[in-house]
Amino acid sequence: MTAVVQSYRNFRFLVRGVRWVELAICAFIVIFAREVAQLEFDREPVLIVFGLGIVWNTAFWYAGRRHLLRERGPAGARLLVWCWVVADVVTNLLVILFTGGVASPFLFSLALPVILSTIALGRARVCYGVAVGSALGVGAIWAMQDAGSLPVFAAYAPVTQQRLTTPEAAAAILAILATVLSLFVYMVFRFRPNFFVFQESLKDGRFRIRNFRAGHLRELQLDRVESVGPEDLLEEAVQGLTLARDISFGAAVILPSGSETLGGEAGKAWHRGLTPQRAVSTTRRQVIPTWSECDTESRTLFEQLRIGESDDLFEGPFTVLQEAGLFTSVDSADSYLATAIGELGRPEVLLIAGVSHPIEDRSAVVMHLFHVAAQLRPLLAAESRMCQMRGELSALHSENQSLSRVNKLQSDFVSIASHELKTPLTAIGAYTDALLMNAENSDFPERREFLTVIRHENDRLLRMINRILDFSQIEFGHRALNRRRTDLRSIVEESLLTLRPLIEEKDIEVRIEADPTLSEIAVDPDLTKQVFLNLIGNAAKFSPAHTSITVGIDEEATRLVAWVRDQGPGIPPDEIEHVFKQFYRVRGDGREVPEGSGLGLAIVKNILDMHGGSIDVESEEGEGACFRFVLPKQKYTNHEVPTVLGEVSLRPEFKHLMSLLVQMLADYMNCKIVSVMLLTADRESLRVQVAYGLDEEVVQNARVEVGDGIAGRVAASGRPLLVEDLRHEDHYEGQYPSQYETHSLVSVPMRLDTEVIGVINCNNKVTGEPFNADDLGLLITLAEKVTRALSRAMRFEDVRDELERTIGAIEALIEMESAEVGTSRLAVRLAMDLARRMGLTRHQILALQYACLVHDVGMTSVGAEIVGKRGPLTDDEFDRVRAHPNQGVSLIEPFLSADEVDEIIRYHHERVDGGGYPSGLTGEHIPLPARILAVIDAYDSMTSNRPYRASRTPAEAAAELVTNAGKQFDIEVVRAFLDVLAENAELSRSEYLALKEEQPWLHLVS
Amino acid sequence: MASPRILIVDDEQTLARVLSFAFTNEAYRVEVASDGIDCMNKISTFEPDAVLMDIMMPKLDGLETIRLLRQHRLHRGLLIVAMSAKALPSDEQAALDAGADFFVKKPFQVAKVLETVLQRLAVSRGSRE
């Protein structure tokens, strides 16, 4: 269907656009050729066939040109060429039919260049040339055939071999001429395709340049400082358009892009009209508003133009354009003809020709319009390629510049650095010479002075070398940024520590104006320290004695702004722009220049550049200088999970978590003091991040070097430590702070994967007893859970959610401990003894210990009214109780890993006979630690006071257990538990034996 | 013969000090200037026989100073020894073009500088007499 529509369009165009004059000329040439050969018309059919063939060919030349020029795609062009070839073949077959089979080979040889050239170029002018050539050739052959000199190829033979009769010679020469001409035309257009394009405008040299084919165009354009843009082209096109006789107004319009919602770019129009006297007015320019700003009428017009094929011809009264606001009434014409240039269905440029009635030759106007459009098309394409190339060129240019800048920088660097190095060397050399010259001279009072100078210059040289090495490392990109969360304030304090000698020597007061809640920033701490060192050092160096320096840090939404202000002599205005240059040293006027490398500020600038920051300086001479720099905040990405928790745990949102954490640890460890120490960023010392039961002041100052003290040793070795009595320790120096009442403590490393990240310390057991191995074991378990929960909570993404979950878990744990729904300490001890007796592994024992403490955390969600209820529970209430093991697991999930603890908690209410909850497991399917916990839990709840049940004696409880053994409880576990009870003196010997008497199976099993 | 006078122009005080020491030891009369402007101020009162001129100096650099000196009729016969740590052939040529009689690369041997100045002074004195 599309093909049919397309064919119709082509046909419509053919009828409109074919130059009948040219066809007539072709026919005339045929006849002329025959006349030249002095032959008669005696074969009418041949002539008719030829005439038809020529018409057919010419028609396809036009259509083919259009297709190829519009870049309809290779398929369309191929189709056309094939049609053409078929047409030629048919024509030739007809000729063969009428002439007795002689003419076709030569005809084909004439048609070939036409086909080739059109395929290669699709140029109209080629077609004209070849058409003329073909016509001449056809006439000549015809003449020869009539002359009877057959076959056709023999026509060439006489030229070299024998004398010809006059008609024969004339025909041969004509045929040769025709071939040569068509070949010549083909060659010209093959290699100079655009040579005749825009011939009319070949008035100034500038235009000619643009009309060479693309390759030439590029070269020439590149040489030009400013090339023509598409706008210039359109302006030229408008000029070209108005050259035609009937066109009184020409315009090129860049249609506004975008849609109603998208906005897009504003359109532009160039137009010029002709005065009644045909004097050309100057080209005017007009801006068309963006699509969204266009009024409805122009939109409708543009829409209409947009939808149409880009080849289509639009016609209408000129007033339509004026109403759409395209042109003012100054330019007037009766009607307009327009065509669009651009991709199919997406025209970008509109060429408009205004005509005034009456028109002499409408088809000429149409042709001219399409002609200009056809010529404009490749030029616009070339222009856009040019734009692209200009972009690439300028990118190359700037790259080149930066390369040569680096090059210059390096060579400058070498030359200046060598000079700066030679200066102290010269002094050293000269003083040594002077000393040598007087080596024999015993009376040489300057000896000491000279040696001092040498020493001094030597130091200076060394400093200079260090600076240069620093600088070259940074400047030439050898130093990679090592960003970490950094507290700028502490960086400033560290810098001041380093600079203290200089500051104290000149009695300079340094004030720090920093927000105490300054957030941490991801920078390279070493390099940032270098920045402060250089800036504060400079300030101190240039400041007179007894003045002050202010160091300030301000926080803004996306960046930190820091400044260093001094009360020194300031920087002269003409020197300010140079201060950040390498080796530049502010000289000022008539004052002594402090010694320096001239690299300090250059290094500062480089470091800030690396961080994406910037620096500037304000100074008035005599009023001091203020260096102000900016460091952009950088967001942590997910993969940068810090292994050093100390860096993040200070963030405000973690403070609450951390304080809850130590409270929980204190509750569970049953001790008065807990401190969590985390490794600092340099991993060289431990700092107390949060503590329970210690004075704030102690917390602030507590800082231990790794390897020193008990915590330091634990961090260094990675092994937990139990100290029963400090006074027996080798390292004890009697300096322990007074708040440590007992002399026993436990200290356990916090490990993330295998790396130690901190230490948890516990002191002062509530009972006043020393810590024992079980306490150590519990703390090890807790430390592991705590570290895991912390590191999870600090994984930055969704930090809030995770944090809330963790905090919720800790709060539940604390609540449970304080509500005393958990297992009593005694029961925990019994549980561990029982576990040992049952042969559990150490790992399982620790898990059981932890589970004993936390297993009923789910009860906190059941609600106090149910837990404390006297009398039977309703079904609904009972369901909630039944759910508590699973709920407990999910509640403290941040403090569990998918390990045994999980299982123990989940299944500790199962019964060996399968009547338990939540899953109804039986016998051996219930994990052994869970079976143990079930017994312990039952015993503990029976022996302790519960609202719903008066406490029983251990013997009564044990009897109950024995009664239910094999039903609710595991027989083996109950049996072992009786032994444990007896061992721990919970049961007297007689009670123990009585229980065994009562239940014969106990004898049997044992 | 009066002891020869020499003006040492260098912004590096330590270097000026040791040079002045060395020349004083050889019975020269020595004056030190810290830069080109200082040199121009001192030259008319001190009237030296030779100037040891550093090239890289603040305010008025060595090359400019030498040019200024050579413009003055009185100082056309003055012995000027340029010294610089920037010692590429082009630097040396620039100093000689500016009007220096001799170029000494830093770091130098004091003895050689002394010898050079001594010889040059002897030659110029000989030619003057």
Side-chain angles (χ1 to χ4, degrees), chain A residues 566-582:
Chain A
D566 63 44
Q567 298 177 329
I571 304 166
D574 55 332
E575 296 197 51
I576 276 191
E577 55 175 313
H578 302 297
V579 292
F580 295 110
K581 286 184 188 162
Q582 40 189 315

Side-chain angles (χ1 to χ4, degrees), chain A residues 419 422-423 426-427 430-431 433-434 437-438 444 446 449-450 453 457 460 587 589-590, chain B residues 11-12 14-15 17-18 21 25 56 58-59 85-87 106-111 114:
Chain A
H419 173 262
K422 277 177 186 170
T423 305
T426 310
Y431 278 88
D433 281 352
M437 277 186 253
N438 294 284
F444 184 50
E446 288 91 352
E449 181 206 335
F450 282 17
V453 171
E457 292 294 317
R460 177 175 157 193
R587 311 256 184 201
D589 240 6
Chain B
D11 59 328
E12 287 288 332
T14 48
L15 205 61
R17 163 87 178 92
V18 75
F21 172 83
N25 244 14
M56 288 181 72
K59 293 177 191 171
K86 266 180 135 182
K106 283 182 182 179
F108 47 72
Q109 288 187 356
V110 176
L114 281 173

Side-chain angles (χ1 to χ4, degrees), chain A residues 30 34 39 41 43 46-47 137-146:
Chain A
V30 172
R34 189 189 156 82
L39 293 162
F41 291 99
R43 290 196 176 186
V46 177
L47 181 66
V138 165
I141 295 157
W142 191 17
M144 284 188 291
Q145 284 166 352
D146 273 6

Side-chain angles (χ1 to χ4, degrees), chain A residues 837-911:
Chain A
R837 189 170 276 267
M838 300 291 296
L840 264 63
T841 63
R842 178 171 163 73
H843 189 69
Q844 284 174 313
I845 294 171
L846 290 177
L848 179 65
Q849 182 190 22
Y850 185 64
C852 279
L853 290 169
V854 302
H855 71 274
D856 268 335
V857 69
M859 287 301 273
T860 57
S861 67
V862 173
E865 74 281 4
I866 298 176
V867 177
K869 185 170 180 179
R870 289 165 195 277
L873 299 177
T874 64
D875 283 352
D876 182 32
E877 284 167 343
F878 197 61
D879 279 346
R880 279 168 72 185
V881 172
R882 285 167 69 96
H884 90 264
N886 279 337
Q887 245 169 10
V889 170
S890 63
L891 190 65
I892 59 164
E893 198 259 339
F895 283 88
L896 295 174
S897 39
D899 57 15
E900 298 95 321
V901 182
D902 186 330
E903 278 188 351
I904 299 171
I905 296 174
R906 213 182 278 280
Y907 300 126
H908 76 277
H909 279 293
E910 298 291 352
R911 294 164 61 106

